[in-house]
Amino acid sequence: MSTALAPPRARSRLLGRDVLRLGTTGLRARPTRAVLSALGIAIGIAAMIAVVGISASSQARLNDELDRLGTNLLTATPGKSLLGKATTLPADAVGKIGRIDGVQSVSSIAVLSVPVFRSPLSDPDATGGITTTVADDALLRVVSGSVRSGDWLNPATSGFPAVVLGHAAAERLGVVSPGTQIWLGSNYFTVVGILDPVPLAPDLDRAALIGGPVAKELFGFDGSPTTVYERSDDAAVDRVRSLLGPTITPQSPSDVEVSRPSDALAARNAANQAFTGLLVGLGSIALLVGGIGVANTMVISVLERRREIGLRRALGATRWHVLVQFLGEALLLSALGGVFGCALGTAVTGVMALVNDWPFTLPAVTIAAAVASTLVIGAVAGFYPAIRAARTPPTAALSS
Amino acid sequence: MNAIISLEDVQRSYGEPPVLACAGVTLTVERGELVAIVGPSGSGKSTLLNIIGTLDRPTGGVARIDGLAVADLDDRALSALRAHRIGFVFQQFHLAEGVTAVDNVADGLLYTGVPRAERRRRAVTALGRVGLSHRLGHRPNQLSGGERQRVAIARAVVGDPPLLLADEPTGNLDSASGAAVVELLHELNRQGTTVVVITHDVELAETLPRRISIRDGRVVDDFAEPGVAA
Ligand SMILES: Nc1ncnc2c1ncn2[C@@H]1O[C@H](COP(=O)(O)OP(=O)(O)OP(=O)(O)O)[C@@H](O)[C@H]1O
Ligand SMILES: [Mg+2]
């Protein structure tokens, strides 16, 4: 009869806020299952966050420490001779280095082969790895060490049988306070001080430090150092480094080994980073398993809710609406795990930082990456179940 | 051309070799009719109703619903037809557990793009139409079977669709609740809705002005009370 255009038909429409509401229906209907399936993702994310947070916090601690200790300390030691026997540096090494342009301070130690015991009655074979070491007044300042109790050697005590113990040495000898007598090279020495750990010169932790004059008098010390410590202007470190060998032994500069203790500290942290890589790997596996858990939950959910899907189709839902509902549910589920995991990982980082006395450091980009990865996981995990839900024929869904 | 349902030799086959659940049905239902579809179990009543409701597509013949040829429509267009033009009532109610009557009914408008507050407002009105104004906040497990089916009917008519399809709406109800549901369908029909009801219940069918009998996927009888335009 009429050739007029058909009136525009109303479309099937689902509002965005209703998509959100729909996404939560499955979670609210079965909260236990939702929590359990989000748990895998939570653990994975927590592991990742904790690993990154812990390594960032310990790195921050190291940076603080290096700031405090300085990175301008160089040590010079004699290279191994052909026979592999440790040798010494010339006695005038300290004076020569002090004259290099840019050098701020110089100090040295000499390790003597003199055994140390708690008392004359101690088992002579149990030396405990403590080395008798000759130190000068400047040493503690140059290596940024500090005295835990008692005093550092001074010109007066250097001439007497007085000893300062590194913290490990004190522990091994069982010395807790200054004033104690120990048996050093068949002489009684009085402990006048105990040091804190010295991060830039860990050798000193195991040392029993005595003055030069008393070492000369009792053990025939000839003044040749075994290690020279030197600090220079930050800008001059590289130049000084190349000059140390030629300055100490001009005839064979390569006999002197130069190192930078702050590099060793940084390297120790780098080794920790390798461990971090392992943990990140484990975290990714947890995430993968978590994603599979979410996918599994969603597949089961789609099977269980065929009638609901059929009903929604009868009420006018398009395939797309059904797909969006289940995809949204998977995204919410993994986002739930992600939020949980972020909180847990942050808490673990906080506790570790507190326990180890690190500055709490967690880059914001880590949290952002965690959230982004949970969304990707949710989308991937939810895609197949959502497609299945959308393909469910409305009649099959209702008659089941 | 004004018929709300127009089927021409509609077939629906399942499986291989094909079994015809619908073996060539031709029938027309005009707007404003109240029709019963009767027949023994397995005769193809539900199959036919699913085709009329566009939940299923015929494998042969032409189905026109509300003036539109189903074969020409894609999933979105069919969904739109169901969202705005067709209401469904099922034997098993298919209400969402743990959701109040109002929210169950409001879901009848979920896919029409109406905001939630308005959906709930209209759901309250629809529950009033089915006589459940005193059960708005009840959940399905707090309602009797008859009340649940009336909630389902309210959900089907909350959007005022011109066509209401019911597959054995009284199948799970005792006779008193069943009678109330049938009376409700009569009332909705008086208000202008075209109603198609599948039923096993011969007595119930007798009360409806037009009865279409199905057997083995075919129409074997189409009886209209005198004085009713068919
Ligand atoms: N998905 C299907 N796959 C195969 N065969 C089907 C399917 N759905 C229905 N049938 C068959 O089609 C025929 C008609 O089924 P239908 O459900 O339409 O019957 P009905 O008249 O509604 O029966 P009842 O009164 O028991 O509900 C039956 O023989 C049935 O086995
Ligand atoms: Mg049936």
Side-chain angles (χ1 to χ4, degrees):
Chain A
M1 265 191 351
S2 162
T3 54
L5 287 170
R9 288 274 182 168
R11 295 190 304 122
S12 172
R13 254 185 93 206
L14 181 61
L15 302 179
R17 43 208 139 116
D18 288 325
V19 174
L20 259 182
R21 192 190 310 282
L22 279 179
T24 64
T25 51
L27 312 192
R28 278 182 287 143
R30 297 187 178 278
T32 318
R33 183 193 290 179
V35 165
L36 286 180
S37 65
L39 201 62
I41 291 196
I43 290 172
I45 290 289
M48 298 291 223
I49 298 255
V51 162
V52 173
I54 287 170
S55 94
S57 298
S58 75
Q59 181 68 47
R61 211 288 304 261
L62 177 73
N63 291 345
D64 283 359
E65 191 179 18
L66 289 179
D67 275 353
R68 188 166 48 78
L69 299 173
T71 55
N72 58 347
L73 179 75
L74 295 180
T75 64
T77 49
K80 297 279 179 279
S81 74
L82 279 179
L83 293 171
K85 216 177 129 220
T87 53
T88 55
L89 296 170
D92 59 354
V94 169
K96 282 171 156 174
I97 292 170
R99 285 189 292 276
I100 297 177
D101 187 30
V103 170
Q104 296 169 338
S105 52
V106 195
S107 173
S108 68
I109 58 167
V111 174
L112 306 180
S113 49
V114 173
V116 184
F117 302 102
R118 180 68 180 84
S119 79
L121 304 174
S122 303
D123 174 3
D125 294 328
T127 58
I130 300 167
T131 53
T132 300
T133 304
V134 183
D136 58 23
D137 305 349
L139 179 70
L140 203 61
R141 190 167 42 78
V142 174
V143 299
S144 296
S146 54
V147 180
R148 191 172 70 202
S149 59
D151 295 298
W152 176 239
L153 297 171
N154 58 39
T157 49
S158 292
F160 291 101
V163 62
V164 172
L165 296 175
H167 93 105
E171 221 163 73
R172 281 178 206 170
L173 290 171
V175 174
V176 288
S177 57
T180 316
Q181 303 248 308
I182 61 171
W183 188 246
L184 191 152
S186 306
N187 291 275
Y188 276 113
F189 270 67
T190 305
V191 176
V192 294
I194 298 172
L195 299 182
D196 285 318
V198 187
L200 286 181
D203 287 352
L204 298 184
D205 293 343
R206 282 177 281 105
L209 298 150
I210 60 175
V214 73
K216 191 177 285 177
E217 185 188 320
L218 292 178
F219 310 118
F221 170 53
D222 64 358
S224 311
T226 52
T227 304
V228 175
Y229 298 93
E230 168 278 334
R231 276 200 196 260
S232 57
D233 304 333
D234 282 324
V237 171
D238 287 329
R239 185 172 48 80
V240 171
R241 182 175 197 147
S242 63
L243 288 177
L244 283 180
T247 305
I248 296 169
T249 51
Q251 63 288 0
S252 56
S254 58
D255 281 357
V256 175
E257 247 172 50
V258 179
S259 67
R260 193 174 184 175
S262 54
D263 288 350
L265 279 184
R268 201 180 62 202
N269 211 56
N272 289 343
Q273 302 289 337
F275 187 57
T276 299
L278 184 75
L279 287 176
V280 166
L282 286 176
S284 346
I285 292 172
L287 272 187
L288 182 72
V289 172
I292 294 171
V294 167
N296 186 37
T297 303
M298 291 308 299
V299 167
I300 292 172
S301 175
V302 168
L303 288 178
E304 281 178 354
R305 289 158 69 187
R306 284 165 70 83
R307 284 168 10 133
E308 178 196 328
I309 296 167
L311 174 73
R312 294 190 180 283
R313 300 280 277 141
L315 294 178
T318 61
R319 285 198 197 105
W320 172 250
H321 292 152
V322 173
L323 183 120
V324 164
Q325 175 181 347
F326 281 88
L327 202 56
E329 191 168 314
L331 282 174
L332 272 175
L333 204 56
S334 54
L336 184 80
V339 168
F340 233 66
C342 282
L344 195 64
T346 307
V348 168
T349 305
V351 168
M352 286 296 281
L354 201 68
V355 167
N356 290 297
D357 199 18
W358 297 334
F360 175 87
T361 312
L362 190 58
V365 64
T366 314
I367 300 283
V371 169
S373 55
T374 50
L375 292 185
V376 170
I377 291 168
V380 171
F383 190 69
Y384 168 71
I387 292 271
R388 275 189 67 156
R391 290 216 181 121
T392 307
T395 51
L398 277 175
S399 58
S400 60
Chain B
M1 216 41 246
N2 193 35
I4 192 155
I5 301 169
S6 154
L7 306 182
E8 285 168 43
D9 193 29
V10 161
Q11 301 179 353
R12 178 67 170 95
S13 61
Y14 287 110
E16 195 60 48
V19 175
L20 282 178
C22 222
V25 171
T26 300
L27 67 85
T28 304
V29 175
E30 300 293 340
R31 287 173 202 276
E33 280 199 72
L34 175 52
V35 182
I37 296 179
V38 295
S41 187
S43 56
K45 306 182 296 295
S46 295
T47 305
L48 186 61
L49 199 76
N50 284 339
I51 288 173
I52 293 173
T54 74
L55 292 173
D56 201 2
R57 289 173 186 271
T59 49
V62 178
R64 290 179 163 276
I65 308 300
D66 200 28
L68 297 171
V70 168
D72 298 345
L73 303 181
D74 61 7
D75 179 67
R76 284 176 55 203
L78 289 183
S79 300
L81 196 61
R82 294 193 293 263
H84 295 279
R85 310 296 289 170
I86 306 174
F88 289 90
V89 177
F90 305 95
Q91 184 176 347
Q92 308 89 334
F93 323 135
H94 290 312
L95 298 177
E97 293 301 323
V99 176
T100 62
V102 169
D103 285 316
N104 260 298
V105 173
D107 270 355
L109 292 168
L110 184 59
Y111 300 97
T112 59
V114 174
R116 182 158 182 259
E118 171 68 8
R119 293 202 300 265
R120 287 173 56 92
R121 207 183 56 69
R122 283 160 72 173
V124 171
T125 309
L127 281 166
R129 280 174 83 183
V130 301
L132 286 180
S133 293
H134 57 303
R135 294 281 185 268
L136 301 180
H138 284 57
R139 293 163 206 284
N141 59 4
Q142 300 167 325
L143 297 170
S144 73
E147 286 172 331
R148 285 185 218 180
Q149 193 58 299
R150 275 146 71 196
V151 171
I153 292 173
R155 181 179 62 195
V157 301
V158 65
D160 269 322
L163 179 59
L164 179 63
L165 305 176
D167 193 341
E168 308 225 23
T170 61
N172 279 352
L173 304 180
D174 60 67
S175 52
S177 321
V181 164
V182 171
E183 176 45 36
L184 189 54
L185 296 179
H186 274 284
E187 176 57 30
L188 292 168
N189 177 246
R190 278 195 289 277
Q191 291 167 13
T193 310
T194 308
V195 180
V196 178
V197 192
I198 291 179
T199 182
H200 266 122
D201 185 337
V202 180
E203 266 177 58
L204 190 164
E206 303 277 89
T207 68
L208 304 191
R210 183 179 172 190
R211 296 181 286 281
I212 299 171
S213 301
I214 306 280
R215 192 167 301 235
D216 296 334
R218 290 173 208 279
V219 177
V220 292
D221 187 28
D222 189 345
F223 172 83
E225 300 278 352
V228 176

